[in-house]
Structures are given as C-alpha cells and as structure tokens.
C-alpha cells in the first residue's frame, strides 16, 4: 500500500491529538515521523508510531512536557527533557546548539530525561539546513553485550556526523553501534534468509549469519566488533555524564519500555572559522573522487552517505510512501 | 629486548636533534613517541620513528615549523600546521581547544597542513588530564576502498572520544575506520595465521580472513563494513572543509609519503554545564555495570576502552619497553 505524505502526516497528527498531545507538538512530531518514512527510513517512521502511542499510554512519554534549560555556560547548555516527546526535545536542543554556535562558533547541548528521537539523522539535517556541521548521539536501553560478554549491558547508541552540501543532499553518516538491528534480524528470520555477514553470536559463542540464532542468544554484534562496543560505551558516558542523566546502565534499571535517555547535540558554525573563504571546492572534489571509485562487480552505484535521500523522497512524494498494510490499518484504528 | 623509558626517550630526542629538530620540539616529540610504546601502543611509538626521520629527510615533515593561527571566532579556531611535526601541531591544537573551552564551554580547532599525529589517543588523554571531555579525528592518505568499491579512495581516519576518569584510567575510544591495519595484516602473514574475522576482500571480491589475500587485493575492510566507510568519509569532509585543508582525495594526489593531512580537535568543559554537580556517581556506576558483564567462555576479563593502559604502563616502567631488536638497532644507527 502507498499513502501520500500529507495523508500520513494528517493521520499521525490526528492520533497524537486524540492521545492528549497539544497541537504544536502533534504537528511537529507527525511531520517528522511522516518525513522519515517519506525519505525511506521506514523503521524510524510510521513503523515505530504505534509504540510511541503505547508509551504515551504507559505514561513514560509525556507529550505536553517542554524541555527546560538547567544551566548555560558560553556555548554549552544543560537541558532537562522532562520525559517529553523525543522528537520535540531533540529538535529543541539542536536548535539551541545552532543558536549558541551563532555566537560562540560552536554549541553543545546535553539533554537528559528524554525519549527516543526516532531518526538520528533528523537533527543532522537540521544543523545542515541551518548551514552548520552537526554531531549528535544518544544512548539507549541495554540491547547488546560489550566485547567478550554474554549479557546485554551497552546500547546501540546511534551516532550522527553531518556536513551541509549546497549542491545536493547533505553528507550524513547515521550509524547505530550494532551491525544489524533486531528489526533487521526479525525480518530476515521471517523471510528465511541469512544476513550477508556475521550479525552476532550463536548459543555456542560462535559468530553466525543466522538471524534466528542471534535472536535466540540475544548476542547482537557491535559495529566493528570491539570498536563499536568501545565507542558505544564512551558515547553513553559522554551523554549521561555531561547531561547528568541516565546512563545505559541506569536506563536498564527503569521499569517498562525504554525511556529517560541522555543525548548530546553539537552544531559547528564552520563558516566563521575562515570568513571570506568557502570549502565548496574541497567538498565537491572529495565527493567526485568518492563516487567515481571503481565499482565491485556486485555494485550498481557508489554513493556517499545521505546521497540517496533526495531520490527516495522524490519517488515517495510521487508514488506515495510504501506502508505495510497491517501497520497502517492498526494506525487507523488507534 | 627491553629498554627503559628514559633511554628510549633520550635516544629518540638525540636522533631528532641530529636531523635538525629544535630542542623544544625534539623533547616533546621524543617524550610522546616513547610514551606511546610505554603504554603498549607499539605501532604508533618506537616502530614508527624511522619513518618520521625519513619523512624529515624528504622535506615533507618540517620539524621546526610552528602552527600558525589563521582566524578565531568565539570557541572555534583555524590553524595552519605548515607541515610541522604532527605531534607538536596536534598537541598545540588540543591545548588551544582546552583554552577556548575554558571561556566558551567548548572549543574546536581545525588544523590543516599537518602530519601524522602518531597515537590518536594522546590528544584525548590531553583533554582528560585538563579535566575536559575530548573528541578528535584526522584524515589520512587513501588506504581503503569505500563500500562497494575496488580502489582505495577513503582513509582509515582514526576517531577519538575521551572522557576523564578521576578514579582510574580515562575512558578513551581510539578507533581507526579500517577493521585491521596493514601492519596487523603483515604481522599475521609473517607469522602465518588467519585474522579472527574478515579483514577485507580477496581478488574475487569475497570476504576473507586471509591476511595475504587482503594485502594482495588492497581491499581492506572498513570497520563495520558500510558504516565505517560512511563515517570515514564524513570525518574527512569535517576535517578538510572546516580547516580548509587537504581532503583524503587531495592528500592522495600529493607526491611521496602521506603528508599535509587535516584534523579536528574538540574540548568540552563539561563541569561548567552543571556547576555544583558532579557526574562521578553516574560514571562509576556505568563502569561497574560494564566490567561486571557475564564473560564469554573465551574471555578472561571485561574492560572498558582505555582501562588497560595503566597496567601496561606500570609493567613497562618496571621491566622496560619491549622493542624489536632490529628496529632498535636501526634507530641507534640513525
């Protein structure tokens, strides 16, 4: 089934209003969630919406709370998300980082007590659209063992690096610290295929490409093995210790679904570092060099990270957003 | 062979002085290079020293050049490294980031025309020792194909996230964007063992654990496959476009060994974000939670990234730094 962007957005907004969300927050959250699906990030768009509504019902997402500034010092600021909507809080914080970067060249916001921000790249795009480079990351509930461990004590903590590209789609790396998500593994198990590379460990502690074995062992593989495990832990420490919020360890002790996470947002007003100069030439040269790489026989096209968004967006605007029938029917009944 | 730290440092300093390096730079560079080996990072310590001396001889490392500030705006600053010693330039820049963070809460230095900084974690430690969180990254010569490509057009661009830990070794993730280095592959080929997981592609475009096959194909595997490739490219864009320096593409076009790279240094004065509060409790809880993970049958001990440095340092201080006989003899002859 395909649904237009406007129909999607309006339906999500209607449901959010029904569940007690104020008009301003409902409009913004619905827009961003629909946009995630429009741009091809289905797992962090429509497909996650029912869980958000469930979390509102459970009281762990409080849709009308507003982020509260705790303290500002120069270009850094501490914000309490008061368990509000993750999208509203994160958008506010990257917006503040951009404001602080206008004055200080760089701004950093540490956010505590917030909720799932849906698509990490949203806030990278936000910085880029304001003409700034952006870095942001979040911690999560424990969902992955650290390197050499059996039990899940680190999060898959997505990380974003984003740089504006005037001539086309922004350059945005948006990566979770697990090689594959449980969502991807569950889809593979359902459709009965193996992952293209090791996705985790089986019950015997051996690397496996079998999605069912990893789901059974709960031993998801960190991105780059020990490397992703290390980066996940340090990002968790950054976000929780700077924000004075929950670490992944603390989130794991809270009752119920994931909530109360910690995040970090950095905006870099890089144009002010060299007034009168522009990196446009450096950027275009690097892009051209990359995308003209010699292709592997199995590769159709070499792209930079973020490049395909414009095309997916254009196609889904034209044809409608592809939606799983059952997921859409469930949303219509909410 | 084992050599004391002081003997190592003094010998390296003597050689640097002989090759025309001023006393101040020779002392600092020799200290940091010896310290890298002391703390167990042999590949980026003594083992890399002869290459530095060769690069000085080639004129691509200019040991007496000093970093020059191009422009400062609030907490951000643009610095030209003038092809000086990578360690001197990088230390200067993280130092400036720390200074700017004292005033603005956060500081960012973009550095162009610099050289190999040896061990990336050095500058993370520097921030931590000043009581600040640090992020830094560098680009490199092209040494890895991007995802789906045959020819090397991206760098392995090391990334550091560092957070201070009063009660013990700082928490420092220091990761290159290649799963294994060519150094590690060459050692494995020499000693005739397979890598523990895929290290790259063979000539048929298949993933392989055989070090010889990867060295032959020059198709090193990015950390986390497409993820490390994406992050490598965006970090390259950050460093080169903010610093207005060479991208990996441009470095690849320069004649001779790698030189003229671009780097980025961020220091975060996080204590000022919440005066009167401390994240010590959050940090200790997260560390305890991690290191008490249930171990895999093959795991002797779970550690956080950076934790082992103190022990290696103590052992090497006591017993001397382990040095390859041939490498040390070559240094004595320089």
């Amino acid at each position: 089934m395909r649904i237009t962007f406007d129909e999607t957005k309006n339906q999500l907004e209607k449901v959010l209003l029904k569940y007690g969300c104020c008009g301003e927050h409902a409009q913004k959250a619905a827009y961003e969630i629909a946009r995630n699906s429009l741009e091809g990030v289905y797992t962090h768009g429509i497909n996650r919406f029912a869980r958000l509504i469930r979390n509102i019902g459970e009281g762990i997402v409080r849709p009308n709370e507003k982020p509260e500034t705790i303290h500002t010092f120069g270009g850094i600021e501490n914000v309490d998300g008061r368990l509000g909507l993750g999208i509203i809080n994160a958008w506010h914080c990257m917006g503040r980082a951009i404001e602080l970067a206008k004055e200080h060249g760089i701004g950093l916001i540490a956010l505590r007590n917030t909720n799932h921000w849906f698509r990490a790249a949203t806030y990278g795009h936000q910085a880029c659209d304001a003409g700034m480079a952006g870095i942001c990351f979040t911690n999560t509930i424990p969902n992955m063992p650290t390197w050499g461990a059996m039990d899940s004590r680190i999060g898959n903590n997505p990380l974003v690096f984003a740089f504006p590209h005037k001539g086309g789609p922004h350059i945005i790396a948006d990566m979770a610290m697990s090689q594959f998500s449980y969502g991807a593994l569950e889809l593979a198990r359902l459709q009965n295929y193996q992952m293209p590379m090791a996705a985790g460990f089986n019950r015997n502690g051996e690397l496996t490409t079998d999605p069912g074995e990893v789901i059974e062992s709960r031993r998801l593989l960190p991105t780059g093995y020990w490397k992703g495990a290390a980066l996940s832990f340090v990002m968790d420490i950054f976000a929780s210790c700077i924000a004075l919020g929950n670490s992944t360890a603390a989130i794991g002790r809270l009752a119920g679904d994931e909530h109360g996470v910690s995040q970090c947002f950095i905006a870099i007003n890089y144009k002010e570092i060299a007034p009168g100069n522009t990196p446009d030439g450096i950027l275009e040269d690097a892009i051209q060099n990359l995308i003209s790489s010699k292709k592997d026989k199995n590769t159709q096209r070499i792209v930079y990270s973020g490049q395909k968004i414009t095309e997916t967006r254009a196609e889904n605007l034209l044809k409608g957003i592809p939606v799983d029938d059952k997921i859409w029917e469930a949303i219509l009944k909410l």
Side-chain angles (χ1 to χ4, degrees), chain A:
Chain A
M1 192 192 300
R2 282 184 179 260
I3 320 270
T4 68
F5 174 71
D6 282 342
E7 190 182 342
T8 306
K9 179 174 60 71
N10 293 342
Q11 174 61 24
L12 302 186
E13 190 176 336
K14 204 174 85 179
V15 175
L16 281 165
L17 290 169
K18 183 176 162 190
Y19 282 82
C21 185
C22 66
E24 186 192 342
H25 289 183
Q27 190 177 27
K28 178 64 179 167
Y31 175 85
E32 293 300 337
I33 296 169
R35 179 183 155 199
N36 294 346
S37 283
L38 181 72
E39 294 182 352
V41 191
Y42 307 111
T43 50
H44 291 77
I46 297 169
N47 296 6
R48 214 193 143 83
F49 185 72
R51 185 164 170 186
L52 170 62
I53 297 300
R54 199 179 67 219
N55 290 342
I56 291 175
E58 292 161 346
I60 55 177
V61 173
R62 299 173 186 167
N64 296 323
E65 288 289 348
K66 288 186 191 308
E68 182 191 359
T69 303
I70 303 299
H71 189 73
T72 310
F73 174 83
I76 62 177
E77 188 166 286
N78 190 6
V79 173
D80 189 329
R82 301 172 59 86
L83 294 184
L85 285 163
I87 291 172
I88 299 298
N89 284 338
W91 188 269
H92 167 83
C93 288
M94 186 54 97
R96 282 293 300 152
I98 292 164
E99 286 306 311
L100 291 174
K102 286 179 184 163
E103 188 180 342
H104 298 278
I106 182 166
L108 176 146
I109 312 294
L111 170 63
R112 66 178 184 236
N113 297 328
T114 190
N115 284 305
H116 200 293
W117 64 10
F118 278 64
R119 175 185 175 201
T122 297
Y123 317 101
H125 280 281
Q126 184 185 0
C128 290
D129 288 341
M132 297 200 187
I135 299 173
C136 55
F137 45 94
T138 182
N139 64 9
T140 69
I141 206 161
N143 54 22
M144 187 165 73
T146 190
W147 189 244
M150 306 275 285
D151 52 342
S152 292
R153 297 194 178 206
I154 60 174
N156 66 342
N157 303 358
L159 167 66
V160 169
F161 270 69
F163 200 88
H165 181 213
K166 264 196 306 198
H170 300 313
I171 298 153
I172 300 196
D174 169 0
M175 55 189 278
M177 292 299 133
S178 54
Q179 190 65 56
F180 296 103
S181 66
Y182 274 112
L185 294 179
E186 272 153 17
L187 189 68
R189 182 168 67 169
L190 199 70
Q191 298 183 351
N192 207 24
Y193 62 82
Q194 298 283 302
M195 306 311 289
M197 53 272 298
F201 296 92
N202 64 19
R203 284 176 66 185
N204 300 322
E206 298 152 344
L207 287 171
T208 177
T209 58
D210 188 278
E213 288 187 352
V214 179
I215 291 169
E216 189 200 18
S217 74
R218 309 299 293 174
R219 292 184 63 184
L220 211 53
L221 192 67
T223 301
Y225 309 91
W226 55 91
K227 297 192 177 197
L231 191 54
S232 162
F233 183 67
V234 187
M235 288 198 297
D236 176 32
I237 294 301
F238 262 69
S240 60
C241 289
I242 301 180
L244 296 173
N246 291 316
S247 67
T248 289
I251 296 164
R253 288 191 295 260
L254 299 175
D257 206 357
E258 179 191 271
H259 65 286
V261 304
S262 304
Q263 300 176 339
C264 212
F265 301 84
I266 299 173
I268 303 162
N269 191 1
Y270 66 91
K271 286 173 188 161
E272 295 294 345
I273 217 174
N277 281 300
T278 161
D280 291 354
I282 299 166
L283 183 62
E284 293 304 332
D285 171 57
I287 290 174
Q288 282 310 313
N289 181 66
L290 183 89
I291 64 178
S292 56
S293 294
K294 188 178 169 197
K295 289 182 292 186
D296 183 84
K297 62 187 175 196
N298 302 315
T299 303
Q300 295 200 311
R301 182 177 158 211
I302 306 266
V303 292
Y304 66 78
S305 187
Q307 192 179 347
K308 283 183 182 165
I309 284 168
T310 313
E311 294 154 39
T312 310
R313 186 185 168 93
E315 185 181 334
N316 286 349
L317 269 177
L318 193 72
K319 298 183 184 169
I321 300 167
V323 186
D324 182 279
D325 293 15
K326 283 183 190 160
I327 288 173
W328 188 244
E329 279 162 27
I331 288 175
L332 292 177
K333 285 184 195 150
L334 279 172

